[in-house]
């Protein structure tokens, strides 16, 4: 039974939205402290019990999608039916955890597979690369803005000095003006 194109498109859009939200999350919060579900501990222990040697920093699609891999993953995934909501819902999974979601770096995976791998990446420190790179870029921007501000502050100091000289001139002018006003007033009083 083929899936209708509209349903398939809606499904893909929801998976992409989920991926974007997750990536923003691991970019803004230290991933080691994230809790993705109420049963993260169970998912992680079962995952590492069943897939202790699976390399998770850079995934090999064959270890997830080949027939022999599917035979190993199926019982693991089914353990979470009724425990993890939408455990078999389609999600996007990054192959290289130091990179973002791109066409080349993304595969489709059941939600429980995504959760197991991402929880392990978070706990084992692999996703910290994303968090660190985003924060390093922010610091670079702040640093470069700081240099620009330094340049600006030199210009601002120069402008400030010019303004002070103008104020002094203005103040002297105002004093002269006030003096002239007094003179006019006195002469006016005298004239009256």
């Amino acid at each position: 039974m083929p899936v209708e194109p509209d349903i398939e498109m809606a499904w893909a859009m929801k998976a992409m939205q989920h991926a974007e939200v997750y990536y923003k999350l691991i970019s803004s919060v230290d991933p080691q402290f994230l809790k993705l579900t109420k049963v993260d501990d169970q998912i992680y222990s079962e995952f590492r019990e069943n897939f202790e040697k699976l390399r998770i920093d850079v995934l090999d699609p064959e270890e997830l999608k080949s027939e022999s891999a599917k035979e190993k993953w199926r019982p693991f995934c089914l353990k979470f039916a009724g425990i993890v909501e939408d455990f078999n819902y389609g999600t996007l999974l990054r192959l290289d955890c130091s990179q973002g979601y791109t066409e080349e770096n993304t595969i489709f995976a059941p939600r429980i597979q995504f959760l197991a791998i991402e929880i392990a990446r978070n706990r084992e420190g692999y996703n910290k690369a994303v968090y660190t790179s985003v924060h390093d870029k922010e610091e670079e921007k702040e640093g470069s803005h700081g240099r620009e501000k330094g340049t600006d502050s030199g210009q601002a100091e120069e402008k400030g000095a010019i303004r002070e000289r103008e104020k002094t001139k203005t103040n002297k002018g105002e004093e002269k003006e006030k003096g002239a006003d007094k003179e006019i007033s006195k002469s006016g009083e005298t004239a009256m």
Side-chain angles (χ1 to χ4, degrees), residues 100-113:
Y101 285 94
T102 62
E103 192 173 331
E104 303 78 32
N105 193 44
T106 306
I107 60 168
F108 213 63
R111 183 167 185 251
I112 189 61
Q113 199 173 40

Side-chain angles (χ1 to χ4, degrees), residues 43-107:
I43 293 170
Y44 180 70
S45 63
E46 292 275 346
F47 170 68
R48 277 308 184 199
E49 198 174 289
N50 288 283
F51 302 96
E52 70 180 87
K53 293 184 180 173
L54 180 66
R55 183 175 171 204
I56 59 172
D57 58 339
V58 180
L59 295 168
D60 176 357
E62 285 298 306
E63 292 186 26
L64 304 172
K65 301 290 183 184
S66 69
E67 284 307 311
S68 61
K70 285 180 181 178
E71 285 178 29
K72 194 169 183 184
W73 276 101
R74 193 171 292 111
F76 170 82
C77 294
L78 291 173
K79 282 182 189 177
F80 293 96
I83 297 171
V84 173
E85 187 177 342
D86 297 328
F87 78 101
N88 62 349
Y89 182 82
T91 59
L92 299 176
L93 179 63
R94 293 169 302 135
L95 294 172
D96 180 345
C97 69
S98 68
Q99 305 297 313
Y101 285 94
T102 62
E103 192 173 331
E104 303 78 32
N105 193 44
T106 306
I107 60 168

Side-chain angles (χ1 to χ4, degrees), residues 134-148:
V134 167
H135 287 274
D136 287 349
K137 286 178 187 172
E138 286 175 6
E139 286 175 12
E140 281 177 23
K141 283 181 187 176
E142 288 171 11
S144 68
H145 287 302
R147 283 192 293 281
E148 288 169 14

